[in-house]
């Protein structure tokens, strides 16, 4: 299991937000972290939009609480790092191209952070225009 | 023309997406319509931060703008009737804005999972159609397995057009506008774009037009 930098999600949110064509970074879907996740020691890091880069409190996970929607979800798994983002894109640029750009920027950052090996990156365009 | 306060009866539902009151990230299309009525105030974060709700709100806004100048054709020939056509469109907006299926975007990395939601594409199609003069998109459907790259997909769009427009020309304009946007934003293999004119609408007459409306 990879240990994640505490500011990774915040850094990625900034990076994604500056990719040309990205209009908005949507909250990751609310995630119910049940006790099973805590048992397997899953490390889940969130960026809280209103806090501006402060990672979510993982103690919530152990308590089985519903974590409020966050913008970038970064998770450490047995295979490496799992990053999940949802974006809205401008109509002026190809949504598919913007989607790839976002992936590549995230991938680059993970590589520079020494986390690129096996990183799974999910980018979903949820709105165009 | 006003939006009906009557309960909206769900129309046909795409079997690929379950219907429910919380289809739009926990909100109903009626709630969004009310939210728009109040100029989106006070702000509701769960609406403002939901792409599905934002897609629906944009479509509702266009519907209101366009419908201000339109009057259903039958209204001229019949007694005032319910505004089921507009409630039908509102219903379709709610259905089409849902995230739906994930449409893949190609990337050479095996660990990349890139997608565009079906709701985003339908919202884009609706906006492209509404942008054609004299057209109001009623419903939009992607037929075929959009989750499989290269699978032929057909787009079925129902529209209302203003009386006096050349229907074949307008339908062709809608088809071209939609195709252009689909080519630009997605990697879908489009086999057909079927445009069905569902209603013909009259311009709402001004008082000095000399036409008495119901």
């Amino acid at each position: 299991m990879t240990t994640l930098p505490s500011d990774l999600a915040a850094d990625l949110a900034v990076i994604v937000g500056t990719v040309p064509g990205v209009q908005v970074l949507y909250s990751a879907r609310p995630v119910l972290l049940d006790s099973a996740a805590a048992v397997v020691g899953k490390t889940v890091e969130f960026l809280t939009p209103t806090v501006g880069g402060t990672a979510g409190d993982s103690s919530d996970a152990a308590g089985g609480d519903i974590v409020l929607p966050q913008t970038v979800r970064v998770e450490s798994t047995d295979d490496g790092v799992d990053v999940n983002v949802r974006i809205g894109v401008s109509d002026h640029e190809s949504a598919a191209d913007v989607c790839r750009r976002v992936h590549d920027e995230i991938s680059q950052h993970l590589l520079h952070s020494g986390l690129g090996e096996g990183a799974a990156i999910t980018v979903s365009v949820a709105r165009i225009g | 023309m006003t939006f009906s306060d009557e309960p909206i009866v769900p129309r046909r539902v795409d079997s690929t997406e379950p219907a429910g009151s919380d289809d739009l990230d926990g909100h109903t299309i009626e709630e969004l319509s009310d939210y728009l009525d109040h100029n989106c105030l006070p702000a509701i974060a769960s609406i403002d931060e939901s792409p599905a709700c934002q897609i629906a709100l944009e479509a509702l806004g266009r519907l209101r703008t366009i419908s201000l100048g339109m009057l259903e054709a039958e209204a001229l020939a019949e007694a005032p009737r319910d505004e089921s056509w507009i409630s039908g469109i509102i219903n379709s907006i709610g259905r089409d804005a849902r995230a739906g299926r994930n449409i893949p975007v190609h990337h050479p990395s095996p660990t990349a999972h890139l997608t565009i939601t079906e709701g985003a594409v339908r919202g884009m199609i609706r906006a492209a159609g509404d942008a054609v003069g004299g057209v109001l998109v009623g419903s939009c459907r992607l037929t075929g397995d959009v989750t499989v790259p290269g699978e032929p997909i057909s787009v079925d769009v129902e529209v209302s057009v203003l009386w006096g427009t050349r229907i074949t020309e307008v339908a062709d304009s809608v088809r071209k506008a939609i195709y252009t946007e689909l080519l630009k934003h997605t990697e879908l293999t489009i086999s057909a774009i079927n445009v069905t004119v569902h209603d013909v609408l009259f311009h709402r007459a001004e008082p000095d037009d000399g036409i008495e409306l119901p």
Side-chain angles (χ1 to χ4, degrees):
Chain A
M1 197 76 64
T2 307
T3 301
L4 301 175
S6 61
D7 54 357
L8 179 59
D11 290 345
L12 289 176
V14 172
I15 289 167
V16 172
T18 56
V19 171
V22 173
Q23 268 191 334
V24 60
L25 182 54
Y26 287 111
S27 302
R29 294 182 186 283
V31 179
L32 178 62
L33 298 171
D34 57 22
S35 54
V39 169
V40 298
K42 227 173 190 180
T43 303
V44 179
E45 179 185 332
F46 293 100
L47 169 69
T48 304
T50 52
V51 178
T54 302
D57 183 357
S58 61
S59 64
D60 289 345
D65 294 338
I66 293 175
V67 179
L68 292 175
Q70 317 290 322
T71 54
V72 174
R73 185 153 57 92
V74 183
E75 188 175 9
S76 178
T77 69
D78 290 337
D79 297 326
V81 180
D82 194 342
V83 179
N84 195 310
V85 297
R86 280 198 306 165
I87 56 174
V89 304
S90 161
D91 182 54
H92 302 299
E93 308 231 19
S94 162
D97 288 345
V98 174
C99 195
R100 277 187 283 265
R101 254 182 249 152
V102 167
H103 169 277
D104 293 347
E105 292 293 334
I106 292 171
S107 180
Q108 281 286 340
H109 184 79
L110 293 178
L111 279 173
H112 289 149
S113 305
L115 300 167
E117 199 67 34
I121 301 171
T122 299
V123 182
S124 175
V125 175
R127 184 181 167 202
I128 301 169
Chain B
M1 188 165 293
T2 60
F3 285 72
S4 171
D5 289 326
E6 295 296 316
I8 295 173
V9 179
R11 300 199 322 175
R12 179 188 59 191
V13 174
D14 189 332
S15 60
T16 60
E17 297 174 57
S21 59
D22 60 348
D23 287 332
L24 295 162
D25 289 340
H27 295 279
T28 65
I29 193 68
E30 292 89 345
E31 289 170 356
L32 298 184
S33 189
D34 288 344
Y35 191 53
L36 197 60
D37 281 341
H38 293 90
N39 295 318
C40 302
L41 293 172
I44 300 173
S46 57
I47 292 178
D48 294 341
E49 295 173 7
S50 156
C53 290
Q54 292 304 304
I55 290 169
L57 282 171
E58 285 172 5
L60 286 173
R62 288 196 305 272
L63 170 62
R64 291 185 178 195
T65 301
I66 295 170
S67 65
L68 281 175
M70 292 180 168
L71 188 65
E72 192 176 15
E74 292 93 329
L76 288 176
E78 303 172 0
R81 42 172 281 180
D82 69 0
E83 297 181 339
S84 59
W85 74 276
I86 208 163
S87 61
I89 293 176
I90 292 171
N91 223 21
S92 293
I93 287 172
R95 189 177 63 240
D96 294 350
R98 288 181 290 166
R101 297 171 287 180
N102 286 322
I103 300 171
V105 172
H106 175 72
H107 193 284
S109 169
T111 57
H113 183 60
L114 312 184
T115 58
I116 303 174
T117 67
E118 189 176 13
V121 171
R122 286 189 298 231
M124 177 198 73
I125 290 171
R126 181 179 288 277
D130 286 345
V132 174
V135 172
L136 187 59
V137 174
S139 67
C140 169
R141 171 181 287 221
L142 302 179
T143 304
D145 193 350
V146 297
T147 65
V148 177
E151 186 79 5
I153 302 300
S154 66
V155 180
D156 301 309
V157 180
E158 289 186 356
V159 302
S160 300
V161 300
L162 273 177
W163 172 259
T165 54
R166 291 180 181 273
I167 290 178
T168 52
E169 288 180 9
V170 165
D172 197 41
S173 296
V174 169
R175 193 177 294 111
K176 285 177 180 170
I178 290 171
Y179 188 60
T180 299
E181 291 298 295
L182 285 169
L183 271 186
K184 177 179 173 183
H185 290 291
T186 77
E187 296 169 350
L188 289 169
T189 302
I190 307 301
S191 62
I193 298 176
N194 304 307
V195 179
T196 303
V197 176
H198 196 263
D199 292 296
V200 177
L201 310 167
F202 283 102
H203 283 286
R204 181 181 290 280
E206 297 299 328
D208 56 357
D209 281 351
I211 301 172
E212 188 174 334
L213 298 174

